[in-house]
Amino acid sequence: MSTKILMVCLGNICRSPLAEGILASKLPKDKFIVDSAGTGSWHIGHAPDERSIAVAKKNQIQISHQKGRQFSTTDFDNFDYIYVMDNSNYTNVIALAQNQQQSDKVKLILNELFPDENVDVPDPYFGLTNGFEIVYNMLDEVCAVIAKKLVEKHL
Ligand code: 4NP
């Protein structure tokens, strides 16, 4: 059975689609499933933001086929690991958890690089274009750590 990882942000068009594409590129496809979702509903069915598509493509990662969807309580049972991009995503997802086992699956993604520091992946949506490069580089670095851990634990 595959190990399933869900990446979560607010809109599911900027950060979590990148996190999904980057982590998936570092894991064997037959053993791991990586998906993403947003806590908000604005971008259900939408492709990722053009700027996320572009920075991914520059790094040989294709994310343009992805479709936005909203995080749902069923995701707590369907996924083994839930990584959120920032502290507000964490609050929003934890508020939907129905028990400790569900809450325990939710981790702030950059805590894998900076344990217990609760650092946000900044939302690049309203910022400068190089915000997407910065976010890409952060996610690439943390996904390398996550992929290594997952492979050690589940392969
Ligand atoms: P994301 O960025 O959470 O990284 O996908 C956002 C994209 C859109 C919106 C908010 C955040 N929005 O409000 O539409």
Side-chain angles (χ1 to χ4, degrees):
M1 226 182 61
S2 295
T3 300
K4 300 177 79 178
I5 305 104
L6 183 66
M7 300 297 195
V8 179
C9 64
L10 177 59
N12 192 210
I13 55 167
C14 297
R15 293 165 292 177
S16 60
L18 277 175
E20 174 187 336
I22 294 167
L23 184 64
S25 77
K26 297 180 190 297
L27 291 170
K29 288 192 187 4
D30 57 332
K31 297 275 193 259
F32 296 93
I33 292 172
V34 188
D35 192 12
S36 65
T39 58
S41 60
W42 310 284
H43 298 290
I44 293 171
H46 296 185
D49 188 284
E50 289 297 334
R51 296 163 294 177
S52 284
I53 293 174
V55 74
K57 198 169 178 183
K58 212 171 104 179
N59 290 279
Q60 290 76 49
I61 291 175
Q62 302 302 328
I63 63 166
S64 57
H65 61 280
Q66 292 184 28
K67 291 270 176 284
R69 73 169 178 90
Q70 191 169 21
F71 181 83
S72 143
T73 52
T74 56
D75 289 321
F76 286 115
D77 296 323
N78 289 341
F79 289 88
D80 303 297
Y81 299 89
I82 299 171
Y83 286 109
V84 297
M85 301 296 126
D86 67 28
N87 282 273
S88 74
N89 308 148
Y90 185 83
T91 304
N92 290 332
V93 171
I94 286 289
L96 298 172
Q98 283 153 342
N99 55 50
Q100 194 61 42
Q101 193 198 2
Q102 293 187 343
S103 305
D104 287 346
K105 290 185 179 181
V106 186
K107 307 259 187 271
L108 201 50
I109 193 166
L110 288 182
N111 277 354
E112 297 288 336
L113 269 182
F114 311 113
D116 303 319
E117 291 191 25
N118 300 335
V119 179
D120 289 343
V121 177
D123 188 344
Y125 189 61
F126 293 110
L128 303 170
T129 310
N130 82 343
F132 285 78
E133 297 269 353
I134 293 166
V135 164
Y136 183 93
N137 290 333
M138 281 181 175
L139 290 174
D140 192 47
E141 196 177 340
V142 74
C143 285
V145 173
I146 292 170
K148 185 166 179 283
K149 271 192 172 173
L150 288 171
V151 164
E152 280 168 8
K153 189 156 182 207
H154 297 281
L155 276 195

